[in-house]
Amino acid sequence: MVTKLHASERFVINQLIDRGVFTSTLTPRTPQATVEAVMALKRTVTQQRINGYLKNLVGTIPENYQENLVWLLGPLKEDAETVHVLLATLKAVINIPELQGNRADRAVLTQTVVRQVHSEVTTLDEREIHRLITALFVDRFKLFIPDVPEYTPVDQDQEITEYWDIDPEINRFAQTVVTHFRQKQAMPPLSAIQRLNRVLLIKRSLNRATTSPQLWQVLQDNRQAIAQQWAELDRFDLEIGDDYALLLDHTRTPSRAKPTVVAIALARQIGVGIPLEKLNQKIKQVSAVLLPNYPINLTLVKQALTDLGLVTIQSDFVTPTPLATRFMAKTQSEEETEYDSVNDPKTR
């Protein structure tokens, strides 16, 4: 039976899905919804209901360190290199002298952090480290806010210095995450439905052609029960077709990232698919039409293809997923591009 959740419980679980962490520190600026969730989490019954829902959904519950929750699922849990960057970044930031105490100005040079992390993670270059830190701390955990100071244009080119504004929550976050990674925990045995829900949560789409027959049958046999599980969060709709399944997220918002726009346009144009060796050429072709005067980064486009679940790559062949049809890429002007997520069944 699906656990019936209260608003604060949904709030905590959705935070865990988005960030992997829920911390209990309160400040005068803390939003009211967060305050209510933190207060609710102090009650044992709230913790039990959150744990019960997540256990039923995917087989694992959050780890609780003094009412700070950690719940990491997916690639981050298994990618040792990413974890190394994560921990090295935390070490670098919490040891920066300028961030000691309660200073109002918590901006640090991006390059300072990147170089410090690079001194520990020598297997990656600084560009890749910058990308990973951005993906983790800016996009996922939302603890670093990019800050480019205002400057006065001059005739000659000038270098723009990038800063990150560091959230005061970083120390509590660091304690929680470090404790998590120090405690090795074995993967519990999972039911077929729990394994299926894990795949849906990580990939957000399933394709009959690339899903094991056993898992696909589990989806067909339990489609109503699984859809009810996800619907309880008041966030997801599970759409199941003859040869696909989509976990549609109401919170997905339009993006103006140019590589993402190119990725969506490409996924909608490749028909039944293309050989992997032709992917770079296709990216260049789509980019030339969509953004003729913009030098696109091939790596970022490929990352967007996989991060959004727009394609699958198997046997050196790139195939669009049904999720690709849920997005729409457009250009408003040469400088401004965006995509919209067409993911609410009620709008179709």
Side-chain angles (χ1 to χ4, degrees):
M1 186 175 67
V2 178
T3 302
K4 296 298 181 181
L5 299 172
H6 299 132
S8 292
E9 295 157 358
R10 290 191 185 98
F11 183 88
V12 172
I13 292 169
N14 282 321
Q15 285 281 298
L16 291 172
I17 289 173
D18 290 334
R19 303 179 64 190
V21 176
F22 181 83
T23 50
S24 60
T25 303
L26 297 178
T27 71
R29 293 185 176 183
T30 302
Q32 184 60 31
T34 305
V35 172
E36 292 173 2
V38 169
M39 300 309 294
L41 197 59
K42 295 181 182 296
R43 299 193 291 268
T44 302
V45 65
T46 299
Q47 298 177 25
Q48 290 174 339
R49 289 166 59 80
I50 290 171
N51 290 346
Y53 176 82
L54 290 175
K55 178 73 172 179
N56 190 40
L57 186 73
V58 294
T60 54
I61 66 175
E63 297 162 62
N64 191 325
Y65 308 112
Q66 298 177 337
E67 268 123 42
N68 300 300
L69 305 183
V70 177
W71 190 71
L72 299 177
L73 208 64
L76 178 58
K77 185 72 175 178
E78 303 158 2
D79 184 347
E81 211 161 51
T82 302
V83 171
H84 195 182
V85 170
L86 168 63
L87 297 178
T89 303
L90 289 173
K91 178 181 177 182
V93 171
I94 64 178
N95 287 325
I96 292 175
E98 292 83 355
L99 294 184
Q100 306 306 315
N102 296 317
R103 288 185 47 175
D105 182 6
R106 298 182 60 82
V108 299
L109 275 169
T110 297
Q111 195 59 33
T112 298
V113 178
V114 171
R115 285 176 179 168
Q116 183 61 39
V117 173
H118 188 226
S119 70
E120 293 202 24
V121 188
T122 56
T123 55
L124 302 176
D125 61 28
E126 289 191 2
R127 176 176 292 186
E128 179 63 12
I129 288 172
H130 184 282
R131 186 191 69 78
L132 282 173
I133 294 175
T134 299
L136 290 169
F137 288 91
V138 176
D139 299 333
R140 181 170 184 179
F141 301 134
K142 297 178 174 56
L143 292 169
F144 295 2
I145 300 174
D147 180 9
V148 179
E150 294 182 6
Y151 67 100
T152 303
V154 293
D155 293 338
Q156 68 269 26
D157 293 338
Q158 57 179 305
E159 183 178 350
I160 300 176
T161 305
E162 181 185 3
Y163 288 80
W164 279 322
D165 284 321
I166 309 300
D167 194 303
E169 187 78 348
I170 191 72
N171 289 339
R172 180 67 67 89
F173 175 89
Q175 293 170 2
T176 304
V177 169
V178 168
T179 304
H180 165 78
F181 281 111
R182 281 177 177 168
Q183 298 183 355
K184 301 290 185 181
Q185 296 191 353
M187 172 69 70
L190 301 175
S191 70
I193 290 179
Q194 288 167 341
R195 290 198 305 272
L196 178 68
N197 280 334
R198 279 173 172 258
V199 175
L200 284 170
L201 181 60
I202 295 169
K203 295 186 176 180
R204 304 297 173 98
S205 67
L206 286 176
N207 190 309
R208 183 174 186 174
T210 58
T211 302
S212 70
Q214 295 84 358
L215 211 56
W216 189 258
Q217 193 60 48
V218 169
L219 176 66
Q220 298 302 316
D221 292 343
N222 301 277
R223 58 168 65 196
Q224 184 173 354
I226 294 171
Q228 286 177 344
Q229 283 183 305
W230 289 108
E232 185 58 32
L233 283 176
D234 235 359
R235 169 178 178 174
F236 295 105
D237 288 314
L238 181 61
E239 179 181 315
I240 303 173
D242 293 336
D243 56 1
Y244 71 91
L246 300 175
L247 188 62
L248 305 172
D249 189 347
H250 301 165
T251 66
R252 192 182 292 279
T253 56
S255 168
R256 298 185 186 279
K258 292 180 173 63
T260 300
V261 173
V262 173
I264 292 166
L266 183 148
R268 292 172 64 92
Q269 290 182 25
I270 59 176
V272 297
I274 58 173
L276 180 59
E277 63 184 19
K278 295 185 178 179
L279 181 58
N280 284 351
Q281 178 185 355
K282 186 64 176 177
I283 292 173
K284 293 175 182 176
Q285 290 174 349
V286 172
S287 176
V289 173
L290 205 60
L291 305 166
N293 295 319
Y294 183 81
I296 200 68
N297 185 308
L298 299 179
T299 300
L300 294 181
V301 174
K302 293 176 186 176
Q303 181 186 341
L305 285 169
T306 55
D307 286 353
L308 290 172
L310 298 172
V311 301
T312 58
I313 301 176
Q314 193 171 39
S315 302
D316 292 329
F317 200 77
V318 183
T319 307
T321 68
L323 194 57
T325 63
R326 287 296 186 278
F327 291 92
M328 171 175 64
K330 62 182 179 181
T331 57
Q332 296 173 321
S333 69
E334 189 172 304
E335 291 78 24
E336 186 177 9
T337 60
E338 69 175 14
Y339 78 79
D340 291 313
S341 174
V342 188
N343 64 7
D344 187 345
K346 296 185 288 294
T347 66
R348 292 199 305 276

